[in-house]
Amino acid sequence: MQKPTALPMIGVQHRSHLTPLTENEVRFEIDMCIGCDRCMRACPLPLSSQVNIADLNLATISDEVAPHVARFTQECVMCGSCVPVCPVNNHRDLLMLSLKQRLGISWDRNVDMSLVLEYLPQGWTLPLLLSRLREQPMFGDSQLVPDNYLKHLLSSSKLLSLVPDSILIQERTYGREMYFILDGRFMTSTLGPLGQELPIAVLGRGEFVGERGMLTGQQRTATVKAQTTAMVLEVPEQVIQRMMEVAPSVRHYFENLHNTRSIVSILKRMALFQGVADQDMHWLASKVRFRNYERDEVLFADREEAQPAREALHVILDGFVKVARMSSGSHPGQGKERIIAYRQNGDYFAGGLDMLGDGKAVTATAINRVRLAEIRREDMLVILSRYPEVNQRFMHRLQEYRVMADAAQTFIGPRDLLLRGQTQALAEAEARAGLRALVGGGVVEGTEVLVIDLDKCVHCDKCEEACERRHGHSRMNRRGMVVGNISVATACRHCQDPVCLLCSRAGIARLPSGEVYITESCIGCGICAERCPYDNISIISLNEQEAAPSSTWERFTRFFSKGVGREYGKRQLPMAQQFAMPGPLTPADGSDAIAEVRKKLAIKCDLCAGYSNQACVQACPTGAAFRVQPGQFFGSTEDILNLTTSQER
């Protein structure tokens, strides 16, 4: 029997590359199983304690699927914890994949709407709710989005009744929920350069907001306030993502809309295109080609086959890009990469020769997930010919790139030190190594990075001990990447686009203020830790016990070495309880993971959410530890080079 091609999988995007087993392979794996239950003991799902391997094997090869086995199969997140513990090397994850696909999509089955009906506001009915959702453009076709999908959407979402002047979305906060307006009217606005409120649009029934945050995880770009009494459906990110999986037309709608809005918005904000008429701006946007790149994927390179791509103007819509050049070696292939700069959303470059203006090619590589708008050379020339001032700005920008390329020195360190001139310039090789570390190590991607001034640090470990006292486990390691006299500690950086947030159970989330934290829905499956490229998430077993000190001497030495306030016995759950919340996909019958036996948990720095200070920073006796925003602390490449050039003069 031939192995089938990979089928679409729902809720397991992190392992979408898997290929299911054939029928013969499934039976072979089941025959090899010795029934030891080690895979079930290793499974982080709380429900695994109620399922034995015999029931699971029977369900895999027959139509006898017990209700608790069906629910366990639906909740399986394909983390792979079951695979390495199997003594006969069975692929239990692939067996679960086969069972998942045989059971089908859970949204195709009936959904219990009793809770939705119980909390419906007066005057609202289920048919009315469904009809209002059908007014949304992405849900209009019942052939592509059946009623049952909308019922599942409703059962996992919240109905919000708002009074006038209620703020639904606040500008410059984080959030991944979407809001569908069922009734009422809203005003969207943004802050002007002087802090004044600038109206953008009025939204009403049949419209929606929040799709950019849901798709990108970036900060909200506008404030949305109710003008009248309103009814809104708040849909968690995990639920709308599930809808986009089961109904691809919904995904296509959002992606196309977001691409169009993003490029028009960014072009209007770019100094290069100031003065271009709206008609020409929309014409240019209609000519744009959108491209998506994963981490470490090359946008264009200095190879011959990459030349045509470098003829276009590239505008970064989301993400970070590393710009580098290969230095020449004595023999072909011996050159080394030299990082020249990094770019982020809103930045642009004309590629290779045009950008640097020195006759040498460059390579652009995605540091994280990048969305790029590519404007063809012939379309750009039309705009430049119509608007001489745009052409002049463009040529001036190219001249700045030439200056940057000629300035081979790069200082990596706090910008205020450059301004005060209190430090010597690093050697060129060391400077480039520092820039490589900042860019290649993803530091520029963070929003809150814990750094330690090594000139002040006395290596007392008070920061780690304070973190452990507060949370039960230390969520940081003061040792990490070293750039100059600055050490970037091993702790969560709260990235602009956190790839760890891909959790079907909403076990990891982000507060509006930006802190990425672990919720009560976490089961410790390890998917977020696996996806974190900087190893800043750990998984702990909740069965771990720490014995309390027995003798007086042990208590005495513990007091002076670890400090007071440490609770002994079973370790506390390392999460900010006041912000912990159930996951949005928790079953409506109340039999969620919180009521069952939790085996493991993810831990990470959440900036001490819920506390008035950060334990690690507060405990440092010399002030060596502090949090920074990389863009402000290290500065952009151009800023640093300009400061260096002005000092040398």
Side-chain angles (χ1 to χ4, degrees):
M1 180 180 296
Q2 296 295 321
K3 181 173 290 191
T5 56
L7 300 175
M9 293 185 291
I10 305 302
V12 287
Q13 306 97 311
H14 57 287
R15 303 198 69 188
S16 57
H17 63 283
L18 292 180
T19 301
L21 299 173
T22 65
E23 182 179 348
N24 288 339
E25 289 171 335
V26 168
R27 292 193 174 275
F28 176 79
E29 295 268 346
I30 296 299
D31 289 342
M32 288 292 293
C33 177
I34 61 175
C36 64
D37 269 340
R38 292 183 185 177
C39 54
M40 304 309 296
R41 290 195 294 269
C43 177
L45 279 175
L47 188 59
S48 63
S49 60
Q50 303 177 23
V51 178
N52 61 59
I53 196 63
D55 292 339
L56 197 58
N57 285 341
L58 179 63
T60 305
I61 59 175
S62 72
D63 294 330
E64 299 180 29
V65 183
H68 68 292
V69 175
R71 183 185 157 204
F72 172 78
T73 303
Q74 294 168 13
E75 291 190 6
C76 172
V77 295
M78 301 290 292
C79 65
S81 298
C82 52
V83 177
V85 299
C86 179
V88 295
N89 294 324
N90 263 358
H91 299 87
R92 179 58 59 179
D93 55 341
L94 297 181
L95 290 172
M96 290 303 300
L97 173 61
S98 299
L99 184 55
K100 274 178 172 290
Q101 294 187 321
R102 189 158 60 82
L103 292 179
I105 300 173
S106 61
W107 279 28
D108 286 333
R109 293 187 283 275
N110 292 331
V111 57
D112 184 5
M113 300 298 293
S114 58
L115 286 178
V116 176
L117 297 174
E118 182 179 350
Y119 291 101
L120 274 179
Q122 187 175 3
W124 286 79
T125 63
L126 181 58
L128 177 59
L129 270 178
L130 292 175
S131 67
R132 292 293 173 89
L133 282 178
R134 287 294 181 195
E135 294 176 2
Q136 299 289 339
M138 73 294 298
F139 300 144
D141 191 337
S142 60
Q143 297 296 319
L144 298 176
V145 186
D147 279 353
N148 212 50
Y149 289 3
L150 294 183
K151 290 179 181 179
H152 277 278
L153 184 82
L154 285 169
S155 68
S156 300
S157 304
K158 295 179 183 178
L159 276 174
L160 304 180
S161 297
L162 303 176
V163 299
D165 294 328
S166 299
I167 294 180
L168 185 64
I169 290 177
Q170 183 68 55
E171 184 179 3
R172 297 178 184 175
T173 61
Y174 290 92
R176 304 190 79 139
E177 301 83 8
M178 273 203 64
Y179 300 92
F180 296 95
I181 303 174
L182 305 178
D183 195 25
R185 191 169 64 250
F186 289 83
M187 169 66 76
T188 63
S189 62
T190 187
L191 292 177
L194 301 178
Q196 73 276 28
E197 186 179 34
L198 302 177
I200 299 176
V202 175
L203 304 177
R205 177 177 139 185
E207 297 183 281
F208 57 90
V209 292
E211 77 285 351
R212 181 178 184 272
M214 180 271 295
L215 290 171
T216 69
Q218 301 295 318
Q219 286 182 320
R220 307 288 198 184
T221 57
T223 295
V224 182
K225 182 187 296 185
Q227 288 188 321
T228 65
T229 301
M231 182 69 67
V232 174
L233 183 68
E234 179 187 272
V235 184
E237 177 215 1
Q238 289 80 6
V239 179
I240 196 67
Q241 290 284 358
R242 181 66 57 88
M243 174 64 85
M244 291 194 295
E245 285 184 287
V246 299
S249 62
V250 177
R251 176 180 296 279
H252 296 155
Y253 176 87
F254 281 124
E255 289 180 346
N256 292 336
L257 177 68
H258 180 55
N259 285 338
T260 302
R261 287 181 175 177
S262 296
I263 186 59
V264 171
S265 175
I266 287 180
L267 290 179
K268 287 184 176 180
R269 292 200 307 266
M270 290 170 60
L272 177 65
F273 291 102
Q274 294 303 304
V276 176
D278 286 347
Q279 181 179 358
D280 288 333
M281 195 76 79
H282 284 87
W283 173 84
L284 185 62
S286 68
K287 299 293 184 179
V288 166
R289 291 185 296 180
F290 297 95
R291 301 183 183 276
N292 297 307
Y293 298 89
E294 294 298 322
R295 180 182 300 273
D296 296 328
E297 191 172 352
V298 176
L299 282 63
F300 56 84
D302 52 1
R303 300 184 301 271
E304 288 292 332
E305 58 269 22
Q307 293 293 328
R310 300 208 325 272
E311 293 297 322
L313 178 71
H314 299 84
V315 181
I316 303 173
L317 303 180
D318 295 301
F320 283 89
V321 171
K322 174 182 67 176
V323 180
R325 176 187 299 150
M326 296 299 295
S327 61
S328 58
S330 56
H331 299 284
Q334 289 188 350
K336 295 183 178 180
E337 181 185 65
R338 185 178 67 177
I339 296 175
I340 297 173
Y342 61 85
R343 300 281 178 262
Q344 57 185 330
N345 59 311
D347 287 340
Y348 63 93
F349 42 88
L353 306 179
D354 290 337
M355 181 176 68
L356 296 174
D358 60 357
K360 296 181 180 179
V362 297
T363 296
T365 308
I367 298 176
N368 57 359
R369 290 181 294 191
V370 170
R371 195 162 56 96
L372 195 74
E374 187 177 290
I375 303 175
R376 295 183 305 172
R377 180 176 181 271
E378 50 267 34
D379 297 327
M380 189 64 192
L381 288 176
V382 171
I383 296 297
L384 295 179
S385 63
R386 290 180 185 176
Y387 298 92
E389 65 274 21
V390 175
N391 189 28
Q392 185 177 1
R393 293 190 203 112
F394 189 66
M395 297 307 297
H396 177 69
R397 184 61 171 164
L398 289 180
Q399 180 60 34
E400 290 181 349
Y401 282 130
R402 293 189 187 101
V403 173
M404 181 190 70
D406 292 337
Q409 304 290 332
T410 300
F411 174 79
I412 298 301
R415 297 173 65 186
D416 59 343
L417 295 185
L418 275 175
L419 291 170
R420 296 196 303 264
Q422 294 181 354
T423 185
Q424 296 180 352
L426 298 177
E428 179 178 350
E430 184 179 354
R432 288 176 180 162
L435 185 57
R436 176 190 294 271
L438 289 176
V439 178
V443 176
V444 297
E445 187 183 349
T447 62
E448 292 285 343
V449 178
L450 178 63
V451 300
I452 297 175
D453 186 343
L454 296 179
D455 291 340
K456 296 180 179 179
C457 180
V458 294
H459 312 289
C460 63
D461 287 333
K462 295 295 184 185
C463 51
E464 295 183 26
E465 293 169 5
C467 182
E468 182 179 0
R469 283 197 302 272
R470 175 168 289 182
H471 303 295
H473 290 262
S474 178
R475 303 175 177 183
M476 61 154 294
N477 186 334
R478 66 175 177 83
R479 298 165 184 83
M481 178 193 309
V482 177
V483 181
N485 68 322
I486 296 296
S487 173
V488 180
T490 303
C492 179
R493 302 168 185 172
H494 304 271
C495 300
Q496 295 190 31
D497 179 21
V499 294
C500 59
L501 285 183
L502 181 65
C503 179
S504 59
R505 298 180 61 93
I508 185 169
R510 192 169 206 166
L511 293 173
S513 50
E515 298 92 338
V516 179
Y517 69 106
I518 303 298
T519 77
E520 279 192 351
S521 297
C522 175
I523 59 172
C525 67
I527 292 174
C528 59
E530 178 183 336
R531 290 182 62 83
C532 176
Y534 313 118
D535 297 325
N536 287 332
I537 302 178
S538 301
I539 306 299
I540 63 166
S541 171
L542 296 183
N543 293 324
E544 292 180 359
Q545 298 282 338
E546 180 174 348
S550 55
S551 67
T552 303
W553 175 251
E554 287 181 1
R555 289 194 295 270
F556 179 79
T557 54
R558 170 76 69 168
F559 177 87
F560 284 101
S561 63
K562 296 294 184 183
V564 297
R566 179 74 166 86
E567 293 186 4
Y568 297 100
K570 189 164 185 176
R571 297 183 178 181
Q572 58 189 351
L573 295 183
M575 60 175 69
Q577 292 292 344
Q578 53 266 61
F579 291 109
M581 63 187 73
L585 303 182
T586 298
D589 60 4
S591 55
D592 61 312
I594 309 305
E596 299 172 291
V597 180
R598 195 196 311 267
K599 300 178 181 180
K600 299 177 182 179
L601 196 69
I603 61 170
K604 63 173 294 299
C605 172
D606 59 8
L607 298 178
C608 289
Y611 293 92
S612 60
N613 57 45
Q614 296 180 19
C616 55
V617 175
Q618 187 75 12
C620 182
T622 63
F626 54 100
R627 288 273 178 178
V628 301
Q629 294 183 358
Q632 296 178 4
F633 182 72
F634 294 106
S636 69
T637 308
E638 291 88 344
D639 289 339
I640 295 172
L641 288 171
N642 289 337
L643 288 169
T644 306
T645 303
S646 63
Q647 281 194 350
E648 289 175 351
R649 292 174 183 171

